Amino acid sequence: MRRVLLTLSLLVAPALAAALEISGEPLQGALLEGRTAPGSEVAVAGREVPVGPDGRFLIGLDRDAPERVEVRVTRPDGSRAREVIAVRQRDYDVQRIDGLPGNQVSPDAETLQRIRKDQARVRAARATRRPAMDFDSGWQWPVTGPISGVYGSQRILNGQPRQPHYGIDIAVPTGTPVEAPADGVVTLVAPDLFFSGGTLIVDHGHGLSSAFLHLSRILVEEGDAVRRGEVIAEVGATGRVTGAHLDWRMNWLDARIDPSLLVPPMDQAAE
């Protein structure tokens, strides 16, 4: 994680200022790290978040995070601190994809039922709140290659506006090894989801997870612990795709964050 100490407006008494520090760039899609007194309770935008035994916690800023996000801390002695993060807004690309089968753009009733079941499996896998801080392992790209789709872009499928793209698409051939971008535990192995095809989710702790979509082969099982750089799957062209690629997505709780903000630029990673 890139660590840049923020200078934020502290809305607390000076004596309590040391109770809360936040590092990272406050940008839509970013992952920030906070630090407070061990044993504290932390709420981000009114929602309680996991806090490690050393007082560290994560803050994920969604694609559409508002301009101001409030962080509140209650320390073990009952004293409180509050900060408001000024979130830098982003402009997103528009991506047009044509030539998809009609049922993959406007599914029929039977397919919608299948999609809802798929979505429930994914939500359950992402609901894990392990206290482990596997994200401390550091980050790397799961594969390197041409980027064919970026985080946050508004998608127009067969001429119809649809949900934004929440991942990074990397165009590499079927069979290319996929490496774990950080340490974690496998929470979902699904070989054939409707939209995402072969799908793998790895939990990195504190509600932070990676999803790998359109895989041709998954080489790990649910419950497996994986290490950064370990080969966990192979790229494919399964699900709703027009060609082989890896779609890497990340969530913090229910916030969809930008994986590219955690890793070095692709040209540096490929050297």
Side-chain angles (χ1 to χ4, degrees):
M1 184 185 303
R2 299 172 186 174
R3 300 176 183 270
V4 179
L5 186 63
L6 298 180
T7 302
L8 299 177
S9 174
L10 283 172
L11 305 181
V12 293
L16 298 183
L20 178 57
E21 292 183 352
I22 299 174
S23 60
E25 183 180 0
L27 174 72
Q28 286 178 327
L31 183 68
L32 311 181
E33 183 175 297
R35 184 181 292 272
T36 186
S40 298
E41 296 179 354
V42 176
V44 176
R47 181 175 185 178
E48 186 175 346
V49 304
V51 181
D54 59 356
R56 286 189 296 147
F57 59 94
L58 299 178
I59 302 171
L61 300 176
D62 191 76
R63 173 192 186 273
D64 300 314
E67 293 182 355
R68 294 166 63 86
V69 172
E70 182 184 69
V71 181
R72 289 182 176 268
V73 171
T74 303
R75 296 194 295 184
D77 63 3
S79 60
R80 297 181 178 182
R82 173 177 176 255
E83 286 193 15
V84 176
I85 302 173
V87 180
R88 186 153 59 88
Q89 306 292 285
R90 294 171 66 173
D91 293 323
Y92 296 105
D93 294 340
V94 175
Q95 185 179 27
R96 299 179 182 274
I97 302 176
D98 297 315
L100 292 167
N103 195 41
Q104 290 189 346
V105 177
S106 301
D108 58 28
E110 182 178 353
T111 303
L112 283 173
Q113 185 175 11
R114 176 187 171 186
I115 292 169
R116 292 188 186 104
K117 290 181 179 178
D118 290 350
Q119 291 171 337
R121 291 185 65 188
V122 170
R123 283 195 300 270
R126 285 178 170 156
T128 304
R129 299 291 181 268
R130 290 191 311 116
M133 296 182 174
D134 291 336
F135 48 83
D136 278 342
S137 64
W139 296 91
Q140 67 171 61
W141 287 94
V143 299
T144 57
I147 293 178
S148 55
V150 296
Y151 169 88
S153 57
Q154 177 62 56
R155 286 197 153 176
I156 310 296
L157 306 181
N158 290 0
Q160 300 182 42
R162 290 295 184 263
Q163 280 194 344
H165 185 237
Y166 292 111
I168 300 293
D169 288 342
I170 308 164
V172 289
T174 293
T176 300
V178 177
E179 298 180 357
D183 291 359
V185 171
V186 177
T187 57
L188 178 69
V189 171
D192 187 28
L193 299 188
F194 180 76
F195 284 130
S196 55
T199 303
L200 169 65
I201 295 180
V202 175
D203 174 76
H204 304 295
H206 280 223
L208 181 67
S209 64
S210 287
F212 310 93
L213 282 53
H214 311 304
L215 303 169
S216 62
R217 188 180 177 202
I218 299 174
L219 304 175
V220 291
E221 298 180 356
E222 291 181 12
D224 284 354
V226 299
R227 297 297 183 189
R228 175 185 171 185
E230 178 181 344
V231 176
I232 54 177
E234 294 178 359
V235 172
T238 57
R240 185 171 70 181
V241 296
T242 56
H245 71 281
L246 177 68
D247 184 348
W248 176 27
R249 304 187 177 200
M250 291 193 68
N251 268 53
W252 175 74
L253 306 180
D254 58 0
R256 299 176 183 269
I257 63 173
D258 185 350
S260 71
L261 298 179
L262 294 175
V263 288
M266 183 70 80
D267 56 353
Q268 296 180 21
E271 291 178 355

